[in-house]
Amino acid sequence: MADYHLEASWRPIEGSFGRLTFTLFNLSAEPLSGFSLAYTSETRVADKYICDGASLMRQVANFHEFQPPEGLRIATGGHWRFTVEGLADEPKHRTDGIRSAHLRLADGRHLAIGFGDLMLEGRDGGVAPPLLPPGRIEEPYALLPWPLSLGLKAGNLPVVLYPVERTRPDAIKALSLVLALYQRLYPADGVPFSLAAVKGGRAIRFVTESSIAAFAYELRFSAHEVVLSSADAAGRQYGLISLAQMLHGARADRERFQFPNFGTIADQPRHAWRGCHLDVSGRFYPVADVMRLIDILAWNKLNIFHWHLTDDEAWRLEITAYPQLTETHGTPIPAFGDGPEAPAVRYSQHDVRRIVAHAASLHVEVVPEIDIPGHSAAALSALPDLTDRQEPPDSYRSPQGYANNALNPAVEFTYEFLGKVFDEMVALFPGEYVHIGGDEVAQGAWLSSPACKALMKQEKLAGTAELQSYFLKRIKTVLSERGRKLAGWNEVSHGGGVDRDGTLLMAWEKPELGLELAKEGYDVVMTPGQAYYLDMAQAEAWAEPGASWAGFTPPERAYAYEAEAELPEALKGKMRGIQACIWSGNIASRAQFNRLVFPRLSAIAEAAWTPLTRKDWDRFAAIVRMWPVL
């Protein structure tokens, strides 16, 4: 137990974003004096504020450091209270409060502090509704995503499924990989497959059928065997996962679910890009957690893992040419959830190779992201040569409150640096895309930089957006020279954008942007915050964890959202698919991760795979309860 504990509450006040009250309790055996209090929080103090009982020493984006009145001494068992009025936004949920906290003592030591949720004063926060209905099934088979077509008759539950004699080694290897996946996801349950024949089991016969579409599969059931037909290894894996799912459901809930004895399943994905993004900059996830998430993606037949490796808070990818990127936190503040003395945490290149190989074995492609030119406070802090030293400090601020956090398009070292970064990335990530971010560059960025003023005059550029377009066009060339295509967020299109050929953009700010990007000629992945951001709260109630800028998204809304509905028939060829996004600023624990991500991730997976006419919310709700979490 920590010797110090910090409580925070928020009181709404008409005409403002309300007042925060902080109370620090001294639970130690010694009086406390000569200290400052630091914390990170999504609820930031605004430029104009009133503080009673403390003074704000330092603020960097979500990081705040307060100093008590001179001479303050907190006795054992005592407390210190102060208030702040003048906030940058209004908190909506209990997770909008403290995310990490510590004391800094006069001798330079840091002491960890316990803390709780943000309390709501003066009004009822409401009650969160159930996230799932009881569910209802008409076909007794546990399959997610639901297949394109099926006509089945249930029968006896086999002990296990095993390959017929003289099955090809590659098919046995595929069976063993899905068996291992199941054992990782359900370690306490009986296995669905055996590599050897078992009495009372049922044989699987593998057939390669060139007439079947890519990534598709067919299953034909009889009393004696199951025939799995596919044209490729990915389709074979999806068929095996479907078999494992049905056997798992029939064992786990025998009153609702059964296993087929006769009939067929014909199945194929609706969209080619079925993705999930994970932000590891705002909060670091150990390698084991990343690999388990990839397992869960494979179980849900998702095929893209978009790995957000850098941001303002930290640069997480080891780059041997610039070890200083990951030797410290980068920015002079801790990321969400990190303590002040937490070691700099990164993914070594050995870690990356393990993760990429693990994903590839499950037919999941890893798309790495380094977020540039904005969201680069960590890189700029680690490598001061990336800055225009004549640019005034704090000449612009990002939406998150970071000052001067964008790589400068007029500093030639920027392109040398990124060229070396991409050299190492293409050796680690064999996929065709590198995601370069391109989002949330602050209005007015670079306009006070003498170097950028000269560049604008030379290249006849006007404003921040055209400077960004100039920068990203050069980056696209750098990537093309290394055999990679550019992916980015929707703001890549600003200021003229980049060459549409080989460019993939993700529409995140609002659904309508997907249509606009497609009209401009870009290939599009739909990932609107209003439906597919899994850090958004799932209900309006204060007690629900999550962010609020895009409203709240219950699982049924994520399930029902139809990305293709935004596009006319003539433009549907520009839509590559859909993607869930997991941003980590509002995720304080594994329990909160699981509550926010599941079952919405599976809901989006079904939207990515299953045709609209085959979707059924009640059927989905009945099945998804059995699905794995992190």
Side-chain angles (χ1 to χ4, degrees):
M1 185 183 79
D3 284 339
Y4 309 96
H5 187 89
L6 182 63
E7 290 289 352
S9 62
W10 176 75
R11 176 181 289 275
I13 297 174
E14 192 171 341
S16 80
F17 289 140
R19 178 190 301 126
L20 290 173
T21 298
F22 296 92
T23 309
L24 176 66
F25 293 87
N26 181 6
L27 308 177
S28 75
E30 301 290 335
L32 176 65
S33 61
F35 68 94
S36 62
L37 166 67
Y39 68 87
T40 55
S41 173
E42 285 280 9
T43 302
R44 303 197 308 273
V45 174
D47 290 339
K48 294 182 179 179
Y49 64 91
I50 299 170
C51 183
D52 184 17
S55 55
L56 181 60
M57 298 170 56
R58 185 166 63 120
Q59 180 182 359
V60 180
N62 299 299
F63 174 86
H64 305 76
E65 187 170 4
F66 284 91
Q67 191 168 36
E70 189 174 351
L72 179 80
R73 183 173 182 272
I74 308 176
T76 298
H79 64 269
W80 162 52
R81 180 173 290 128
F82 66 96
T83 63
V84 182
E85 190 172 338
L87 307 175
D89 204 355
E90 178 178 299
K92 302 285 187 184
H93 299 278
R94 62 184 174 90
T95 49
D96 289 334
I98 301 161
R99 280 284 151 264
S100 63
H102 67 271
L103 299 179
R104 184 160 62 89
L105 303 184
D107 61 8
R109 286 185 299 138
H110 295 84
L111 301 178
I113 303 176
F115 55 87
D117 290 337
L118 184 62
M119 296 289 108
L120 175 63
E121 298 182 43
R123 75 178 187 209
D124 182 7
V127 177
L131 298 179
L132 285 171
R136 182 195 66 252
I137 60 164
E138 295 178 4
E139 298 271 9
Y141 308 107
L143 281 166
L144 286 182
W146 196 248
L148 177 65
S149 71
L150 83 172
L152 301 172
K153 182 178 179 182
N156 295 329
L157 183 63
V159 172
V160 76
L161 303 172
Y162 59 87
V164 298
E165 280 193 46
R166 293 188 291 278
T167 293
R168 297 186 318 275
D170 63 315
I172 293 177
K173 178 70 179 295
L175 185 74
S176 71
L177 283 168
V178 177
L179 170 59
L181 170 67
Y182 184 90
Q183 289 175 303
R184 292 191 299 271
L185 295 177
Y186 297 102
D189 294 350
V191 296
F193 304 131
S194 167
L195 302 190
V198 175
K199 187 175 182 179
R202 198 177 304 174
I204 307 175
R205 184 180 304 278
F206 293 90
V207 175
T208 300
E209 181 59 70
S210 60
S211 63
I212 294 176
F215 314 119
Y217 68 91
E218 293 178 1
L219 290 168
R220 295 194 301 276
F221 296 87
S222 71
H224 303 293
E225 68 176 11
V226 178
V227 178
L228 168 52
S229 303
S230 64
D232 54 33
R236 179 175 60 196
Q237 175 185 282
Y238 298 141
L240 286 168
I241 288 173
S242 290
L243 289 171
Q245 289 178 350
M246 286 190 290
L247 202 50
H248 175 74
R251 290 169 173 172
D253 188 347
R254 294 184 182 228
E255 291 186 5
R256 276 188 160 183
F257 298 105
Q258 296 176 285
F259 192 82
N261 256 22
F262 297 99
T264 60
I265 294 175
D267 199 12
Q268 67 184 63
R270 179 182 182 183
H271 294 303
W273 187 289
R274 305 181 306 282
C276 177
H277 150 291
L278 180 67
D279 160 33
V280 298
S281 181
R283 179 174 295 276
F284 183 79
Y285 295 80
V287 169
D289 286 357
V290 176
M291 293 177 78
R292 181 170 175 86
L293 179 61
I294 290 169
D295 282 347
I296 292 169
L297 303 190
W299 184 252
N300 285 276
K301 301 189 176 84
L302 293 165
N303 67 339
I304 299 290
F305 175 54
H306 172 178
W307 201 4
H308 184 88
L309 287 159
T310 76
D311 213 302
D312 291 308
E313 293 87 0
W315 182 292
R316 302 294 194 188
L317 174 64
E318 179 192 15
I319 300 295
T320 59
Y322 301 104
Q324 57 269 56
L325 287 167
T326 52
E327 284 174 352
T328 67
H329 287 289
T331 52
I333 66 169
F336 284 108
D338 287 348
E341 295 177 334
V345 276
R346 64 169 191 177
Y347 299 98
S348 70
Q349 296 198 359
H350 173 71
D351 294 333
V352 170
R353 291 187 190 95
R354 283 178 59 206
I355 289 168
V356 169
H358 180 73
S361 75
L362 295 168
H363 298 281
V364 175
E365 180 181 333
V366 180
V367 176
E369 179 184 356
I370 59 161
D371 202 348
I372 55 174
H375 289 286
S376 293
L380 289 163
S381 178
L383 296 169
D385 287 347
L386 290 169
T387 63
D388 174 4
R389 288 183 168 86
Q390 293 184 310
E391 184 177 22
D394 210 1
S395 58
Y396 63 88
R397 287 195 191 180
S398 74
Q400 290 75 27
Y402 286 93
N404 294 25
N405 74 327
L407 297 179
N408 193 307
V411 172
E412 203 57 32
F413 177 55
T414 297
Y415 304 100
E416 178 187 334
F417 160 67
L418 290 172
K420 291 181 179 178
V421 168
F422 291 139
D423 284 340
E424 297 193 26
M425 290 180 70
V426 299
L428 294 170
F429 299 99
E432 61 178 332
Y433 285 101
V434 171
H435 199 293
I436 53 75
D439 61 314
E440 294 189 319
V441 171
Q443 198 78 356
W446 308 308
L447 301 185
S448 298
S449 161
C452 277
K453 288 178 181 178
L455 177 65
M456 291 167 72
K457 185 176 181 180
Q458 174 187 316
E459 299 291 332
K460 298 181 173 57
L461 303 173
T464 296
E466 291 189 16
L467 276 168
Q468 172 168 298
S469 175
Y470 167 88
F471 170 83
L472 291 175
K473 284 173 181 172
R474 289 190 64 174
I475 296 307
K476 183 171 171 64
T477 299
V478 171
L479 288 174
S480 296
E481 290 169 351
R482 289 157 176 78
R484 295 295 185 271
K485 296 178 181 178
L486 184 148
W489 303 108
N490 53 247
E491 295 98 319
V492 169
S493 66
H494 291 180
V498 300
D499 183 4
R500 278 58 168 164
D501 185 38
T503 298
L504 179 72
L505 298 189
M506 296 182 175
W508 71 273
E509 289 182 282
K510 55 184 179 180
E512 298 83 359
L513 283 171
L515 174 59
E516 293 175 22
L517 293 171
K519 284 180 176 177
E520 291 178 29
Y522 291 104
D523 286 344
V524 179
V525 168
M526 295 293 287
T527 179
Q530 295 78 7
Y532 289 167
Y533 268 37
L534 301 186
D535 60 316
M536 290 297 117
Q538 298 177 88
E540 195 170 9
W542 181 269
E544 275 294 315
S548 58
W549 68 263
F552 59 93
T553 307
E556 186 173 6
R557 186 176 298 166
Y559 183 84
Y561 172 69
E562 274 296 309
E564 274 192 325
E566 310 295 332
L567 300 176
E569 200 63 39
L571 291 176
K572 284 186 177 175
K574 303 302 294 181
M575 182 176 154
R576 294 283 302 281
I578 66 178
Q579 178 171 291
C581 286
I582 305 171
W583 297 97
S584 296
N586 275 280
I587 299 175
S589 64
R590 184 181 297 266
Q592 282 188 6
F593 183 99
N594 285 334
R595 180 167 179 83
L596 285 164
V597 172
F598 307 106
R600 290 188 295 184
L601 181 62
S602 295
I604 295 166
E606 183 145 305
W609 182 282
T610 305
L612 171 61
T613 55
R614 300 286 288 164
K615 288 165 69 175
D616 181 325
W617 168 244
D618 283 317
R619 187 252 317 137
F620 170 85
I623 297 170
V624 78
R625 301 167 190 281
M626 298 182 290
W627 256 227
V629 298
L630 194 68

